[in-house]
Amino acid sequence: MRIATYNVNSITARLPRLLAWLESSGTDVVCIQETKCSAEQFPHEQLRELGYEAAVNATGRWNGVALLSKVGLDDVVTGLPGGPDYEGVQEPRAISATCGGVRVWSVYVPNGREVEHDHYGYKLEWFRSLATAVAEDAAGPRPFAVLGDFNVAPTDEDVYDPAVFAGLTHVTPAERAALEALRAAGLSDVFPRALKYDRPYTFWDYRMLAFPKNKGMRIDLVYGNEPFTKAVTDAYVDREERKGKGASDHAPVVVDLDLDR
């Protein structure tokens, strides 16, 4: 089975590229973030033509997550159980389902904006709710993984220059402690290989030629439990998909599994 996570930064804007990538990559399950469309606008028909069912948690605006699967979508849970609200609503940042015997979450963790902003506190609270919500599956016997845009670089080595990010979100001790608490629930970081250069960055800003200069961050992560990680045969960042006109500012992270191992 091939599973991927991909922040598309608007599925409407990225649809032709996404469809072409799905056809060429042979991916069975895709965790999508930042759909930036409503559930009604989601391109179910085009994806169905390629053999994908879709489960969607989206309301428009700038959030939204989805799961695409060629191997089944069972026991779908929309949203983060027990998760916090922001400005009176629970934003569409999580969806989970069982796909071909693997329990999968697609998450789009809040950005945090600035350390002094209330969105930063919301981000940390969201992480705490996530760790609680996944604890049972993480400790269970079934392959289980949380994939998505975590908006945190786990270590200084996961950003191109730690000095540039000093005092900013995505690298603070509290955010990294939140990741550690999530791992403590029984999950491990499935570290991908880079297709170019020595670090597998997953995000490059559109500005200041960040991508050609490889000024990136690794913030799109795959956290799996022991049955999941034991089945991993390969993991890589598909940096080629970040190239060219109309690309997302994120690259897909792809994981290959042999569930019979």
Side-chain angles (χ1 to χ4, degrees):
M1 182 185 296
R2 175 165 284 180
I3 297 179
T5 181
Y6 190 4
N7 180 325
V8 294
N9 190 11
S10 174
I11 198 165
T12 302
R14 231 62 63 194
L15 186 58
R17 286 192 63 129
L18 175 63
L19 295 175
W21 182 79
L22 290 171
E23 284 197 279
S24 65
S25 67
T27 309
D28 299 297
V29 179
V30 187
C31 300
I32 298 287
Q33 300 88 43
E34 264 196 287
T35 62
K36 292 185 177 178
C37 71
S38 67
E40 294 74 23
Q41 295 168 322
F42 196 82
H44 287 276
E45 184 176 344
Q46 294 95 321
L47 292 163
R48 196 175 296 118
E49 289 176 357
L50 295 182
Y52 291 93
E53 297 178 78
V56 182
N57 182 14
T59 56
R61 304 180 74 186
W62 54 83
N63 299 316
V65 290
L67 281 167
L68 315 180
S69 177
K70 283 187 169 183
V71 293
L73 273 173
D74 300 316
D75 302 320
V76 175
V77 175
T78 300
L80 175 59
D85 290 352
Y86 187 71
E87 296 182 341
V89 298
Q90 186 177 113
E91 297 178 318
R93 294 184 174 275
I95 192 165
S96 57
T98 302
C99 306
V102 180
R103 188 71 185 171
V104 176
W105 282 62
S106 175
V107 300
Y108 179 39
V109 176
N111 178 280
R113 301 183 187 173
E114 298 174 353
V115 173
E116 301 301 323
H117 199 285
D118 61 358
H119 206 262
Y120 181 78
Y122 164 60
K123 179 179 191 174
L124 298 179
E125 188 178 356
W126 203 94
F127 263 122
R128 287 191 288 270
S129 297
L130 178 63
T132 299
V134 305
E136 183 176 353
D137 279 325
R142 174 175 55 177
F144 171 76
V146 184
L147 305 91
D149 179 355
F150 284 66
N151 270 316
V152 182
T155 72
D156 281 352
E157 292 187 349
D158 295 306
V159 296
Y160 73 91
D161 183 353
V164 171
F165 296 92
L168 302 179
T169 60
H170 293 55
V171 299
T172 64
E175 290 167 293
R176 288 175 172 172
L179 279 184
E180 178 57 36
L182 186 60
R183 291 192 293 269
L187 302 174
S188 299
D189 186 353
V190 178
F191 193 83
R193 59 186 174 89
L195 295 187
K196 186 177 181 181
Y197 303 113
D198 60 344
R199 298 299 300 177
Y201 300 139
T202 66
F203 167 83
W204 301 260
D205 198 293
Y206 286 129
R207 299 168 295 180
M208 305 298 290
L209 298 175
F211 181 66
K213 293 179 179 179
N214 201 36
K215 293 184 174 181
M217 308 174 70
R218 186 173 78 96
I219 57 175
D220 302 87
L221 309 174
V222 178
Y223 276 13
N225 69 354
E226 185 176 3
F228 184 94
T229 58
K230 281 186 174 180
V232 174
T233 59
D234 193 14
Y236 62 93
V237 178
D238 190 351
R239 191 179 185 279
E240 294 298 305
E241 186 56 23
R242 176 60 176 81
K243 292 181 177 180
K245 185 178 180 180
S248 172
D249 45 4
H250 295 251
V253 181
V254 182
V255 178
D256 288 333
L257 302 174
D258 181 353
L259 298 173
D260 296 323
R261 291 178 69 177

Short mmCIF file of all heavy atoms in Angstrom, two decimals, residues 26 67 144 200 247:
data_model
loop_
_atom_site.label_atom_id
_atom_site.label_comp_id
_atom_site.label_asym_id
_atom_site.label_seq_id
_atom_site.Cartn_x
_atom_site.Cartn_y
_atom_site.Cartn_z
N GLY A 26 0.74 6.34 -8.34
CA GLY A 26 0.26 5.04 -7.88
C GLY A 26 -0.08 5.02 -6.40
O GLY A 26 0.05 3.99 -5.74
N LEU A 67 -9.63 12.77 2.93
CA LEU A 67 -8.97 11.49 2.72
C LEU A 67 -9.44 10.93 1.38
O LEU A 67 -10.64 10.84 1.12
CB LEU A 67 -9.33 10.50 3.84
CG LEU A 67 -8.61 10.66 5.16
CD1 LEU A 67 -9.29 9.83 6.24
CD2 LEU A 67 -7.15 10.22 5.02
N PHE A 144 -1.64 2.14 12.33
CA PHE A 144 -2.29 3.42 12.57
C PHE A 144 -1.29 4.54 12.35
O PHE A 144 -0.13 4.44 12.76
CB PHE A 144 -2.82 3.49 14.01
CG PHE A 144 -3.30 4.85 14.43
CD1 PHE A 144 -4.53 5.31 13.98
CD2 PHE A 144 -2.54 5.66 15.25
CE1 PHE A 144 -4.98 6.58 14.36
CE2 PHE A 144 -2.97 6.92 15.63
CZ PHE A 144 -4.21 7.38 15.18
N PRO A 200 15.19 16.34 3.95
CA PRO A 200 13.90 16.14 3.28
C PRO A 200 12.87 17.21 3.66
O PRO A 200 11.86 16.93 4.30
CB PRO A 200 13.47 14.76 3.78
CG PRO A 200 14.03 14.68 5.16
CD PRO A 200 15.34 15.43 5.12
N ALA A 247 2.35 24.93 -8.75
CA ALA A 247 2.60 23.96 -7.69
C ALA A 247 2.14 24.50 -6.34
O ALA A 247 2.10 25.71 -6.11
CB ALA A 247 4.10 23.63 -7.62
#
